[in-house]
Amino acid sequence: PGSVPASTETVFDAAGRATESIFRVYDQEKWQPQDGAGLLHGVTQSARSAPVGERIVWDAATPMAMALTGGHAVLERDLTASPRWLARTPELARLAPDLGLRSLISVPLKARGVTLGLVTFWRSERSGPFEQEDLPVTEELAARAAVCIDNARRYTREHTVAVALQHSLLPRTLPEQNALEIAYRYLPAQAGVGGDWFDVIPLPGTRVALAVGDVVGHGLHAAATMGRLRTAVHNFSALDLAPDELLGYLDELVTRLDQDVAEGEQDVTGATCLYAVYDPVAGQVTLARAGHPGPALVRPDGTVVFPDVPVSPPLGLGGSLPVETAELRLPEGSSLVLFTDGLIETRERDIDTGLALLRRTLTNPPHAPARDPEHTCQAVFDALRTGRPRDDIALLVARTRALDPARVATWNIPRDPAAVPRIRAGAGRRLEAWGLAEIGFTTELIVSELITNAIRYGSEPIHLRLLHDRTLICEVADGSSTSPHLRRAATTDEGGRGLFLVAQLAQRWGTRYTGRGKIIWTEQALHDAPEVVGPLLAAALPDEVTP
């Protein structure tokens, strides 16, 4: 009744086409609906009473209105007897004689307590009129059609919500970074939204993390679980964990999520993940995977290999088993290809066949110009994508870049406070050589504070490294595992102000742990405002020593 929303119009149209064959068998009329005709058809080719989208208003006395309001089938056995309601519907009164309509049955389309619409069966003069014994048949047909329409409506609504949720949880744009040239493709399954996902996460020290994961299953639950795991990976990445540690914590998280599942709800068992960290300074990538397909590596000469990356059980099944990692040296211009199993495995193609096809597609002929990541993604999709994928497909292609050694400066620092002025002056000269003299003063303050803290509270070996990338990165490494904590020093405190200054002068700062100790790092904009240093010093120092 009334107008049909555009989003559900196709559902009703499909249901109408699906039930036409049933009505044809029942009515035994010659039925030849034309393309473009609405849901309501006449008994001849040229007759059509109402196109799709046109609003229909029935008088309260018509069988159609009575069927809708009463919730049951209404029979009008003989239209030639000129019922009173027919006179109040001039269009139908005009159409009925022209088509030779003799009788009708109007039946509401009801499913699960909701009235979805109305179906009206007509008989022409060539057939006998409808009788009372026809009512159960029409009601059964309408009930079955209504259930089909309601199922389609519910599925469409859930699918739309799941797609919207999934798209909101996936990266909308790639973050800006200089370490990798990245392209990606994502294709949701036709049967239902799944839980495949990918991520690109910039890390301190010009490094970049790549993540690809898969939650087994489809629907809202898989999309929501994917979002929870992706958020967890972002949080663990903020702690700058190594790939094996990150997957270990992610495994524990999935185990706890499964333990918290209430009776009748789905668990998360079946999730997989591959996590990789690329360092453009060292030209090295560290990878770990939990139940996920390994990556493909395209060398600069165009050859393709599948590196041997130890595989751990899927997330939630690892238990006490440790996660192993692999470290690969990547020449500049190498491409790391990460993907989910939906790309290489289908019902018509096993994994080995898919991997062989992927290798042939990625292999670049000798002396041919190298393809960029965007063209590589498109070539892979064209070769491996099927018409209607039954599983989500995520593909990530990352071509490596190396940080110019001329933009890296390192110093070995003795554990002697007298060395601080010399190192600070050396850092200032390097900034001048890089054309960053305007941030030299703030950088020297940061370097001085971090080195002094490392000498006073840390242990040898102590190193300073400056990286000139999109920002200026300052790293001070030492052999201890003690981590500083930011606090506001009281007036009577003798210390505690250095880290406060560092936090205010830098855009970001943090701590990451290594196998030989820790690294305190800061990031500064390449063009800073030196006039803020004076007020910061005044805020950090006690009143009696403020200049």
Side-chain angles (χ1 to χ4, degrees), residues 54-76:
E54 180 178 316
R55 183 179 179 87
I56 303 174
V57 180
W58 299 111
D59 186 272
T62 61
M64 298 78 169
M66 290 189 291
L68 288 173
T69 56
H72 56 79
V74 176
L75 167 65
E76 188 68 48

Side-chain angles (χ1 to χ4, degrees), residues 416-442:
D416 181 3
V420 175
R422 175 175 56 85
I423 301 298
R424 184 173 58 199
R429 289 191 296 271
R430 181 53 62 99
L431 291 183
E432 290 181 0
W434 286 342
L436 303 177
E438 64 180 294
I439 63 171
F441 182 65
T442 56

